[in-house]
Amino acid sequence: MNDQVFRVHCSNGFREFDSHTTTKIYKIMTRNQLKQMWFNLPTSTIVTKTILVEMDKYVGRQGQGTVQITNDGPSGFSQFKTHQVNPIEYVLNCKEYKSKEYQLVIK
């Protein structure tokens, strides 16, 4: 079986080819070619480490908020989210913030 299959589509809608129509060539890839292409795509080596503090806007929860710690890199993706009564105090005492590898974002 031929792995290199090409289809020709003429823009005039007919199967005949003439020099006045635009021809588009589509390559149909086999399953193995698609799988090989997928696994050979470059992976991102960008490491993103953030601590996001979002303060609550409700009247009954003034000073409270959520803390979201995100780590994305070659070792994988991890995310942790928690609600805290004192979110700034929680962040200043957590090990991720003390490691100085994480970017702090306060909303």
Side-chain angles (χ1 to χ4, degrees):
M1 184 171 204
N2 187 4
D3 287 338
Q4 301 284 334
V5 177
F6 291 95
R7 286 186 185 169
V8 177
H9 172 73
C10 297
S11 62
N12 63 3
F14 299 104
R15 293 189 179 179
E16 297 87 20
F17 174 79
D18 61 7
S19 60
H20 301 290
T21 61
T22 306
T23 305
K24 298 176 184 177
I25 298 177
Y26 300 99
K27 182 177 180 183
I28 299 174
M29 300 179 80
T30 63
R31 180 180 183 274
N32 285 335
Q33 288 173 328
L34 285 171
K35 186 169 62 172
Q36 185 178 18
M37 182 185 75
W38 175 258
F39 288 118
N40 288 332
L41 288 175
T43 58
S44 131
T45 56
I46 299 171
V47 177
T48 306
K49 295 182 177 188
T50 58
I51 300 173
L52 175 67
V53 178
E54 192 167 356
M55 302 302 287
D56 281 338
K57 298 177 183 173
Y58 302 112
V59 178
R61 291 197 255 174
Q62 289 289 343
Q64 299 181 20
T66 56
V67 177
Q68 179 175 323
I69 301 172
T70 307
N71 182 3
D72 189 13
S75 61
F77 177 82
S78 66
Q79 188 175 45
F80 171 73
K81 189 171 186 178
T82 180
H83 180 269
Q84 294 294 320
V85 176
N86 297 317
I88 302 297
E89 182 182 335
Y90 176 81
V91 168
L92 294 177
N93 293 326
C94 72
K95 65 180 179 182
E96 289 85 4
Y97 180 75
K98 290 180 180 178
S99 71
K100 300 193 186 219
E101 295 177 0
Y102 286 76
Q103 177 185 6
L104 179 62
V105 179
I106 300 175
K107 285 188 174 182

